[in-house]
Amino acid sequence: MTFSFLNPLYTAVSWIIVQFHSLYSHVFDPDGGWAWGLSIVSMVIVIRICLIPLFVKQIKATRAMQAIQPKMKAIQERYKNDRQRQSEEMMKLYKEAGTNPFSSCLPILVQAPFFTALYGVLASVANDKTIGVINSDLLNSAQQAHIFGAPLSATFLGSDEVSVKIVVAIMIVLMSLSQFITQRQLMTKNMDLTVKTPFMQQQKMLMYVFPIMFAVMGINFPVGVLVYWLTTNVWSMGQQLIVIRNNPTPGSKAWDERQTRLKKAGRLNPDGSVKKVGLLATLSGGGGKPAATSAAAVVEETVQVRRQQPRKQSKAQRQHASGQPVVGEPGQDQAAADAPQTDLTKHDAVPAGSPVSKQPVGKAGTRQQPKRGGQRPKKKP
């Protein structure tokens, strides 16, 4: 094979397709277009699920580009006569923000190897050559498969039948149109159009360049590849609609629409924050209070509870509180035990009721330990 470094990709792509084909063969004709077409669609879904973390990273990078737009505009105005310095400052700003203007192209770049591998697999099927895990039996089955009357490996330029050209042309138009709609909804609904920056110009350019590029290249794509790109574009469109509706960029048209929906539903606080509902409301304190306020209230309540806890008492203090005779002072009544006692020295008085006040005092203010056998210390005459 000419491109030997692509063999692992050929094997991986063909293996995924064959596994889904064996699954769909239980329902559809193994040699029909439904079994092979759905196998390609299922492969796209598997790839896009694996790319969800990259899609999340793309959203964060795009939001970072939105956040630095005012700084980008300031750099443009400051160095409008020095293009080189302007480019240097822009690259420095991108590095500090951890983003770049081409972050939105990441999903397409990552899918490029899979697209190339699928193109090679279908080209081998058209040229009657086995590839990857597709053996001669599977090769014959794939060659018989037709999608809406067009062979799986047929191309617009490589087919002489008018019906096949019409099917391929419709698929090319749908592929390009879905690409344009996806990029346009990102531009018109999820970006702050009040600030004109190079990032906005780049996104606007991509909105027109990508569809045209795919339309020109699509005339050489096999039907199976067109199915691949049409499926991935539809996936991107739906995925982006969900993100734009539930997590729009602040300041965009979609953000204003979301705030209006939340206000009508009564879920918007006066400060602009969203009220929690259900379990989230319970955890955050309920009543529409912000989570930060509820958390502060919980902390304050915990501190107050801790302050109300009684301190640990000594054995002598517990005996005094219960009215029992204190050790070292048998026979004294409760009044004598409660009377204030002072040391023989001229220092500070010992608080009444403390363990120290219950011990006999000797010379120089030192306490004498009681002797063994229960004998009391001798009193000083």
Side-chain angles (χ1 to χ4, degrees):
M1 190 173 292
T2 305
F3 301 100
S4 58
F5 65 92
L6 290 177
N7 284 344
L9 279 175
Y10 290 147
T11 302
V13 169
S14 60
W15 183 85
I16 295 174
I17 293 177
V18 168
Q19 297 304 312
F20 281 112
H21 177 264
S22 62
L23 176 64
Y24 293 126
S25 296
H26 295 288
V27 181
F28 304 101
D29 180 12
D31 300 333
W34 282 106
W36 285 100
L38 289 177
S39 299
I40 297 175
V41 171
S42 300
M43 183 191 68
V44 174
I45 294 175
V46 170
I47 293 174
R48 293 309 302 264
I49 291 176
C50 295
L51 291 179
I52 287 178
L54 184 61
F55 178 73
V56 174
K57 185 177 180 180
Q58 175 194 2
I59 293 176
K60 292 180 179 179
T62 305
R63 296 288 172 84
M65 289 295 299
Q66 290 281 339
I68 63 175
Q69 281 189 13
K71 295 182 179 179
M72 294 170 63
K73 187 176 181 180
I75 292 175
Q76 277 184 314
E77 295 177 353
R78 183 175 182 180
Y79 303 104
K80 58 183 178 181
N81 297 325
D82 190 349
R83 295 290 182 180
Q84 182 177 358
R85 182 64 184 278
Q86 183 182 123
S87 300
E88 292 176 356
E89 293 296 326
M90 286 289 189
M91 295 303 297
K92 183 179 178 181
L93 182 62
Y94 293 152
K95 186 176 181 180
E96 292 176 354
T99 185
N100 60 81
F102 302 99
S103 57
S104 60
C105 302
L106 287 177
I108 295 179
L109 295 177
V110 173
Q111 289 184 86
F114 296 97
F115 159 77
T116 304
L118 179 62
Y119 185 91
V121 169
L122 295 176
S124 296
V125 171
N127 296 326
D128 198 16
K129 294 180 180 179
T130 59
I131 186 172
V133 299
I134 297 180
N135 52 31
S136 57
D137 295 335
L138 292 172
L139 180 63
N140 294 331
S141 176
Q143 288 176 340
Q144 299 177 33
H146 288 66
I147 297 178
F148 301 111
L152 197 65
S153 57
T155 63
F156 183 84
L157 296 178
S159 178
D160 297 330
E161 297 182 13
V162 178
S163 60
V164 174
K165 285 183 176 292
I166 293 176
V167 171
V168 176
I170 292 175
M171 296 185 69
I172 292 174
V173 171
L174 291 177
M175 177 187 66
S176 302
L177 184 61
S178 59
Q179 180 71 39
F180 175 78
I181 293 175
T182 302
Q183 191 66 23
R184 188 175 185 276
Q185 73 178 2
L186 178 65
M187 282 284 300
T188 58
K189 301 196 69 174
N190 203 38
M191 287 188 179
D192 188 359
L193 301 178
T194 58
V195 182
K196 304 297 182 181
T197 61
F199 175 70
M200 299 291 296
Q201 298 298 326
Q202 181 235 353
Q203 293 295 319
K204 187 176 181 179
M205 179 185 66
L206 293 178
M207 182 174 64
Y208 294 100
V209 169
F210 275 158
I212 295 175
M213 181 180 67
F214 277 105
V216 173
M217 296 173 60
I219 60 177
N220 293 313
F221 287 169
V223 172
V225 174
L226 294 176
V227 171
Y228 174 93
W229 275 116
L230 181 58
T231 305
T232 193
N233 287 348
V234 172
W235 177 284
S236 298
M237 188 187 306
Q239 187 173 248
Q240 191 164 265
L241 279 174
I242 295 174
V243 173
I244 290 176
R245 178 177 176 82
N246 298 320
N247 190 21
T249 301
S252 63
K253 181 180 178 181
W255 173 268
D256 296 336
E257 293 176 353
R258 176 175 174 267
Q259 296 298 95
T260 303
R261 291 195 307 269
L262 292 174
K263 187 176 181 179
K264 289 182 178 179
R267 294 186 54 199
L268 196 64
N269 291 314
D271 59 354
S273 60
V274 181
K275 295 180 181 180
K276 307 297 182 181
V277 294
L279 179 60
L280 292 177
T282 303
L283 295 176
S284 62
K289 296 180 180 180
T293 305
S294 301
V298 172
V299 172
E300 180 65 22
E301 183 179 354
T302 304
V303 172
Q304 292 178 359
V305 171
R306 289 182 178 177
R307 291 172 179 172
Q308 294 174 1
Q309 295 294 333
R311 296 182 178 180
K312 185 177 180 181
Q313 296 180 341
S314 63
K315 184 177 180 181
Q317 290 175 331
R318 292 195 299 269
Q319 291 177 345
H320 177 271
S322 60
Q324 299 177 359
V326 182
V327 177
E329 295 185 355
Q332 291 185 355
D333 57 3
Q334 190 65 25
D338 294 336
Q341 300 180 12
T342 56
D343 201 345
L344 294 179
T345 60
K346 297 181 180 180
H347 297 292
D348 297 337
V350 180
S354 64
V356 177
S357 64
K358 301 298 187 294
Q359 302 294 337
V361 181
K363 294 181 179 181
T366 59
R367 297 187 300 273
Q368 295 183 358
Q369 298 296 334
K371 296 182 179 181
R372 295 182 180 179
Q375 298 179 359
R376 298 176 60 185
K378 297 181 180 181
K379 295 183 179 180
K380 186 176 180 181

